[in-house]
Amino acid sequence: MLYYLFNYLKTEFNYTGTGMWQYITFRVTMALLLSLVISLLLGKRIVHYLQRKQIGETIRDLGLAGEQTKKGTPTMGGLIILSAIVIPTLLFARVMNVYILLILLSTIWLGLIGFIDDYIKVFKKNKEGLAGKFKILGQVGLGLIIGTTLYFNDNVVMSREVMTGKKLAPYERVISSTERITEDGHKFVDVKTPITTIPFVKNHEFNYAKLISWIPGAEKYTYLLYILIVIVIIVAVSNGANLTDGLDGLATGVSAVIGIGLGIFAYVSGNILLAEYLNIMYIPNLGELSIFIAAFVGACVGFLWYNAYPAQVFMGDTGSLALGGIIASLAIIVRKELLLPLICGVFFVESLSVMIQVTYFKYTKRKYGEGRRVFLMSPLHHHYQKLGYHESKIAVRFWIVTVMCVVFAIATLKMR
């Protein structure tokens, strides 16, 4: 909103200093600082309010060290994260940008689902919370909206080089005939095409239509395949973040590191000079997303002030479902969703540990009459707790692993 205000003041009155609001780097910095201030100051008030209202976490007896000391710790702290993300984004971003609208929708949509789940647990005293089928239904609905918008909205385009003699595929179309000419004479136009980034190949690009191109006439149904993939990614990453949120500061710290990585991807892909220099796809108007990501990272770091061991507040599903959904949506928007198993390595391994544990337990129960386990407990962070590791050590080491994963993911930009 402030962007539009100062743009008006510059255009109509040419006030001194209003021009700086045109620069994404300035607004990114302001969004980061404001999100930190909001999460720290508002966080303190929310924590005290939750304590007064005795909105505490109900702890299941899992036989883990120190778990009973957490009983009564305020939950629903995800409200702090959501506030520290949404407010700076509304103030500093161009909110009519299609990518900003989509990511705000993801934040509020999954935050609301998580809030309902926490509300049922805390106020209705139902430990099961919102039924799993309703959570999945909400995630699928969000995936349907995001996938449909990204595929059909004419404001979501890729910049493609105009090459003599090369025609567009049937599922591709030029949105604007206006050509951009680079310093070396190459011509680019905006095109609707279902491509994404894939590492270790020559041009770093993969077109989803190729998955069904072997079926005659199937390419025109690429949108169905694309939307289905988007839904699967959002459901998987959102639930992965939810499973990871089991130790003080674990999911928050991991999400902050992932956010920094996605912020780098968004900035370079949305900057025509950097995209050309790195020889990666240029996505017009994507740079605006950097402002949201700055607020996202600031909100996570600020929330760590209260969520680091020993936690004064838990984010609850209000925060964890939203964080996972935001990360999934960001990756899809910046066309880096195929890198998610690497970028979100911790989320992926945590989810995988649960699937392995459940599958092996059911298999051995059918075969031997009693269930056996691969891990002492799942998700994986509980396995290390059972081995005697302190939870703060586990959380920090998982952060370090995430840093390594994100750095390697960024490095894939130049691996061909």
Side-chain angles (χ1 to χ4, degrees), residues 276-347:
E276 183 182 353
Y277 173 75
L278 293 171
N279 194 23
I280 61 176
M281 67 174 71
Y282 167 59
I283 307 175
N285 302 315
L286 186 68
E288 202 68 23
L289 202 59
S290 302
I291 296 161
F292 174 90
I293 297 174
F296 173 80
V297 173
C300 290
V301 173
F303 185 70
L304 266 177
W305 185 273
Y306 303 102
N307 188 235
Y309 181 86
Q312 297 171 257
V313 63
F314 298 140
M315 69 172 70
D317 281 10
T318 306
S320 61
L321 285 178
L323 290 181
I326 289 169
I327 290 169
S329 300
L330 285 174
I332 294 166
I333 290 172
V334 301
R335 308 289 171 165
K336 300 295 182 289
E337 65 269 24
L338 297 186
L339 288 174
L340 275 174
L342 180 57
I343 299 173
C344 300
V346 168
F347 292 169

Side-chain angles (χ1 to χ4, degrees), residues 29-43 84 88 294-295 297-303 306:
T29 304
M30 295 300 293
L32 177 63
L33 291 174
L34 182 59
S35 64
L36 284 168
V37 170
I38 291 174
S39 56
L40 290 172
L41 297 183
L42 181 63
V297 173
C300 290
V301 173
F303 185 70
Y306 303 102

Side-chain angles (χ1 to χ4, degrees), residues 229-291:
I229 291 173
V230 169
I231 290 172
V232 170
I233 291 172
I234 288 178
V235 172
V237 179
S238 182
N239 287 320
N242 190 240
L243 289 172
T244 304
D245 183 32
L247 298 179
D248 295 352
L250 176 56
T252 315
V254 168
S255 297
V257 175
I258 294 172
I260 293 172
L262 290 173
I264 293 172
F265 281 129
Y267 186 74
V268 298
S269 294
N271 185 298
I272 190 170
L273 297 177
L274 291 175
E276 183 182 353
Y277 173 75
L278 293 171
N279 194 23
I280 61 176
M281 67 174 71
Y282 167 59
I283 307 175
N285 302 315
L286 186 68
E288 202 68 23
L289 202 59
S290 302
I291 296 161

Side-chain angles (χ1 to χ4, degrees), residues 81-123:
I81 298 175
L82 298 182
S83 301
I85 292 174
V86 173
I87 294 173
T89 301
L90 291 176
L91 287 176
F92 298 115
R94 289 191 291 127
V95 293
M96 297 313 295
N97 178 290
V98 63
Y99 301 121
I100 294 295
L101 290 174
L102 274 180
I103 202 63
L104 284 175
L105 173 67
S106 300
T107 304
I108 297 171
W109 185 294
L110 287 177
L112 181 60
I113 293 174
F115 178 83
I116 294 172
D117 184 55
D118 287 335
Y119 182 86
I120 294 172
K121 290 177 182 176
V122 174
F123 294 97

